[in-house]
Amino acid sequence: MKRISVFLIGLFLIPTLFLTSCDKGDDTLVNATPAFTLMKDYVINNNLDINKIITNTDGEKFVVGPPASEVDVPAYIAKYTILDIRNAEAFAAGHIEGAKNIAFSNILTEAAAASKPILMVCYTGQTACYATALLRMYGYSHTRALKWGMSGWNEATAAAWNGKIGTNEADGHANWTHEGAPQNNVFGDPVISTLSTDGSTILKNQIEKVVAAGFKTASGTDVLNNPNNYFINNYFNPADYQAFGHIDGAYRILPLTLADNSYKGLDPTPGAKVVTYCYTGQTSAVVTACLNVLGYDAYSMTFGMNGLYNTNTAWASNQWGADSKPKNLPLVN
C-alpha cells in the first residue's frame, strides 16, 4: 500500500515539474539563454549591429544619392536591381527606367531573385530606407535606398517632400526646447517569444514579422504635441541637439548599438512607443527597422527635422529645398 502511495505522488509531481520548467517570458527553459541574447550575439558576431546596417563593412552607407546628371543615368541604373515600392498609379506616372514595381510585403522574395545589388525606391526615401535596413539584416548587405526617394529624382515626382515643408510648427512651440539632454536610463532587454535556440533563425523570423507588419511611423505633429505618449530618441550629435533645439524630454542615445550596450537606454516595455527622429526621417527609418527586429515597439518620426522646422538656422546639410533639391533626371512611364 505504501509503495502505491509513493507511486501516485510521483505521478502528480511529474506534470508540476514540466509546468515549472518553462519561462513564461520567452518560451525557453529556465536558466537557458534568452532568445534576445542569442540573437544579439549572432548580430554582433556577423556584422549586423545597427552601425553596420547604417554603413556596411565595405563602407557603403544605406543611402545613395541620384546621379549627378542625365549622362550618368545609364551607368547608374546598370549597377542595380531597382525595386520601386510606390503604388501602381505613382509608378505608372513616372519611374526610373528598368525599375520593378513591387509591394513592400514582397521585398524578401524579390531580393532573393535579384542578380545585382538592390536599390530601393519610394516617394521620399523613408520607406525605402526601412526596407533597406531589413534587407541588410537579412543578408543582402549591399542593398541601398535612393536618397530623398523619387522626390530627389525629378521635380515631377517631388510632391511628397514639397508638400511637407513650410509649416515650421516647432518654431515657438511650448514643447520645443534648447535644454540639455536628460540623463539616459538603463533598461533590460526586450523579450522575444520563440522556441528556437539558434540566433540566425531567431533573427530571420523577427525580420519576416517586421516586413509583414509594414513601416511603423509616427507623425511629427503628434510627437510634438503629445511627447508623453512616446519614448523619444533624438538621433543628432550633441552640438545639433542643442543648436536645432529638440522635442521636450527627448533623449539622445547615439551611438545606438548592441555591442556597447547603449541600446539599453531604450524602454523595451510592450506598448512603450520608442520613436526616433533625425534630419530627414531616412536614418531614423533604418534605426526603427533594426529596433523592431530586436523586439522594441519602435516608430520612425516621418520627415524628421525637415518636417518640423525646415527654416531652422542651424542647418548645414540635408535641408530640403536648400542643399537638397529635386534633379531633372529622366522618367519613363
Side-chain angles (χ1 to χ4, degrees), residues 7 11 21 44 115 134-135 150-151 176 185 189 250 287-288 294:
F7 176 74
L11 285 177
S21 68
I44 293 171
S115 58
L134 296 172
L135 290 177
M150 289 303 291
S151 292
W176 195 256
N185 300 305
D189 293 338
V287 172
T288 298
L294 294 173

Side-chain angles (χ1 to χ4, degrees), residues 175 182 185 187 216-234 247-251 253 265-277 288 297-302 308:
N175 291 333
N185 300 305
F187 295 95
K216 289 173 65 176
T217 65
S219 76
T221 298
D222 190 53
V223 179
L224 180 64
N225 289 330
N226 303 287
N228 292 333
N229 291 347
Y230 300 93
F231 184 99
I232 306 169
N233 185 34
N234 174 298
I247 298 171
D248 192 23
Y251 292 89
I253 306 169
L266 302 175
D267 188 352
T269 308
K273 294 184 175 182
V274 177
V275 63
T276 304
Y277 75 96
T288 298
D297 184 19
Y299 300 79
S300 176
M301 195 181 82
T302 51
L308 283 180

Side-chain angles (χ1 to χ4, degrees), residues 198-271:
D198 176 69
S200 174
T201 301
I202 296 167
L203 175 65
K204 289 197 169 184
N205 289 343
Q206 286 292 107
I207 295 168
E208 290 163 7
K209 288 178 185 176
V210 174
V211 170
F215 189 16
K216 289 173 65 176
T217 65
S219 76
T221 298
D222 190 53
V223 179
L224 180 64
N225 289 330
N226 303 287
N228 292 333
N229 291 347
Y230 300 93
F231 184 99
I232 306 169
N233 185 34
N234 174 298
Y235 205 75
F236 284 6
N237 61 48
D240 283 352
Y241 181 89
Q242 289 195 271
F244 277 94
H246 52 87
I247 298 171
D248 192 23
Y251 292 89
R252 200 197 67 78
I253 306 169
L254 196 165
L256 176 57
T257 64
L258 296 171
D260 69 354
N261 284 327
S262 57
Y263 75 93
K264 288 182 176 288
L266 302 175
D267 188 352
T269 308

Side-chain angles (χ1 to χ4, degrees), residues 24-186:
K24 296 178 183 178
D26 63 353
D27 296 333
T28 54
L29 297 178
V30 168
N31 299 322
T33 304
F36 178 88
T37 303
L38 295 170
M39 182 175 65
K40 172 185 174 180
D41 291 344
Y42 179 84
V43 164
I44 293 171
N45 293 333
N46 288 274
N47 294 314
L48 296 171
D49 207 343
I50 295 174
N51 60 322
K52 299 297 177 62
I53 299 303
I54 290 174
T55 303
N56 67 20
T57 53
D58 290 323
E60 296 172 337
K61 197 173 179 184
F62 65 93
V63 289
V64 59
S69 66
E70 186 170 347
V71 297
D72 300 312
V73 170
Y76 181 93
I77 64 178
K79 294 188 295 186
Y80 299 107
T81 293
I82 304 174
L83 302 178
D84 189 325
I85 52 178
R86 296 176 299 155
N87 66 39
E89 183 180 2
F91 182 82
H95 59 267
I96 300 170
E97 183 176 0
K100 183 177 182 181
N101 191 212
I102 68 165
F104 179 93
S105 58
N106 291 336
I107 60 172
L108 297 177
T109 302
E110 294 292 340
S115 58
K116 294 183 285 187
I118 297 163
L119 180 68
M120 293 302 309
V121 177
C122 67
Y123 299 95
T124 66
Q126 295 169 93
T127 310
C129 286
Y130 195 79
T132 292
L134 296 172
L135 290 177
R136 284 190 168 199
M137 293 188 87
Y138 208 74
Y140 303 104
S141 62
H142 294 288
T143 302
R144 305 182 85 176
L146 178 62
K147 187 171 182 179
W148 302 107
M150 289 303 291
S151 292
W153 190 268
N154 191 292
E155 184 69 41
T157 49
W161 261 108
N162 289 341
K164 290 295 179 180
I165 303 306
T167 59
N168 293 308
E169 56 192 307
D171 188 10
H173 196 286
N175 291 333
W176 195 256
T177 180
H178 288 265
E179 293 181 1
Q183 182 69 38
N184 291 340
N185 300 305
V186 179

